[in-house]
């Protein structure tokens, strides 16, 4: 079974049909840059470009980088335009995609669900925290495999700062930090999250998961196991498609 997954981020909008039996992309993903300002209309147009690239005419699962309540209403918009707040995202994307059935879910929650089902969290019980490092820091919290949605742990205050402003991969790029220097910031952030939730496992996702060997060896003093996401930066796409499949839009 295939469903289209589309992952909306602060820097890029990427998607592809997903083979839900394998938990992998059925075709090479297509990406467009997130427009700036990232308003609802401009982002919806970008989503349409990605879907039309494949000539897709079936159900579409979308992720959004913020809190999504009742499966549609956007409540936060830290890394996109503030006009997203209170937007009915399902209605917006459904209209812009020509009436295709759509679902909308928090981006990190989608990535976490994919990793728990197909990747680094498969079969793991207890408390698991997935953290995606990109434009911001997304989080997905699982208790014995069950998701606690919309945690947004990237906005924890750490040393007087919003944590993602100091420890996201964007912060690394903007400040031209070495991997070792950035790893020290990530270590402080992980220690804070560990103090609050005492997880057995941290899964590190986002684009940096492809380069885990460059920074994970520099992270010390964390009691939980730390592993890179196995689905890497495709986890959000896969999770978006899984979310669509779990609703009645997939038939």
């Amino acid at each position: 079974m295939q469903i289209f997954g589309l992952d909306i981020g602060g820097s890029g909008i990427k998607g592809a049909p997903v083979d839900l039996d394998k938990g992998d992309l059925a075709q090479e993903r297509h990406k467009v840059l997130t427009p700036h300002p990232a308003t609802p209309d401009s982002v919806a147009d970008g989503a349409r470009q990605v879907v039309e690239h494949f000539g897709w005419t079936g159900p579409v699962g979308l992720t959004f980088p913020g809190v999504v309540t009742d499966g549609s209403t956007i409540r936060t918009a830290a890394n996109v335009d503030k006009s997203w707040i209170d937007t009915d995202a399902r209605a917006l994307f459904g209209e812009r995609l020509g009436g295709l059935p759509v679902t909308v879910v928090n981006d990190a929650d989608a990535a976490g669900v994919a990793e728990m089902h197909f990747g680094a969290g498969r079969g793991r019980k207890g408390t698991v925290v997935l953290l995606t490092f990109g434009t911001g820091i997304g989080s997905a919290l699982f208790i014995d495999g069950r998701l606690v949605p919309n945690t947004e742990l990237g906005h924890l205050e750490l040393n007087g700062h919003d944590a993602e402003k100091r420890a996201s991969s964007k912060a690394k790029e903007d400040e031209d930090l070495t991997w070792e220097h950035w790893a020290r910031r990530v270590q402080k952030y992980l220690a804070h999250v560990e103090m609050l939730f005492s997880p057995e496992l941290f899964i590190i996702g986002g684009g940096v998961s492809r380069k885990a060997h460059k920074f994970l060896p520099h992270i010390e003093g964390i009691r939980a196991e730390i592993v890179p996401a196995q689905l890497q930066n495709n986890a959000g796409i896969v999770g978006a498609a899984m979310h669509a499949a779990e609703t009645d839009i997939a038939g």
Side-chain angles (χ1 to χ4, degrees), residues 127-160:
T127 302
V128 177
V129 176
L130 172 130
L131 298 166
T132 59
F133 290 83
T135 305
I137 299 175
S139 63
L141 172 65
F142 294 86
I143 310 296
D144 290 332
R146 294 177 63 88
L147 174 68
V148 180
N150 290 314
T151 48
E152 294 290 289
L153 300 181
H155 300 295
L156 289 171
E157 183 178 316
L158 187 61
N159 297 334

Side-chain angles (χ1 to χ4, degrees), residues 71-190:
S72 185
T73 304
I74 305 304
R75 295 300 187 200
T76 65
N79 295 303
V80 289
D81 195 80
K82 301 305 181 189
S83 59
W84 273 101
I85 295 173
D86 293 329
T87 293
D88 183 338
R90 185 188 294 168
L92 171 67
F93 287 114
E95 181 274 329
R96 200 58 54 92
L97 296 178
L100 296 183
V102 302
T103 61
V104 185
V105 65
N106 173 267
D107 57 350
D109 285 350
V113 167
E115 282 293 329
M116 293 299 287
H117 193 79
F118 292 111
R122 189 173 185 176
R124 295 295 293 257
K125 299 297 184 182
T127 302
V128 177
V129 176
L130 172 130
L131 298 166
T132 59
F133 290 83
T135 305
I137 299 175
S139 63
L141 172 65
F142 294 86
I143 310 296
D144 290 332
R146 294 177 63 88
L147 174 68
V148 180
N150 290 314
T151 48
E152 294 290 289
L153 300 181
H155 300 295
L156 289 171
E157 183 178 316
L158 187 61
N159 297 334
H161 298 275
D162 202 28
E164 72 175 20
K165 300 299 183 186
R166 298 278 295 163
S168 65
S169 62
K170 183 177 187 298
K172 178 189 180 301
E173 294 168 7
D174 289 349
E175 299 181 46
D176 196 25
L177 302 176
T178 65
W179 285 105
E180 186 173 1
H181 189 170
W182 182 68
R184 288 199 295 272
R185 292 190 181 185
V186 173
Q187 176 181 302
K188 290 178 182 178
Y189 172 62
L190 293 180

Side-chain angles (χ1 to χ4, degrees), residues 1 5 15 62-63 65 73 77 89 95 140 154 167 173 175 193 197 200 206 216 219 241-242:
M1 179 181 182
L62 299 103
T63 76
T73 304
E95 181 274 329
E173 294 168 7
E175 299 181 46
V193 176
F197 296 99
E200 284 78 25
L216 285 187
I219 295 177
M242 291 175 66

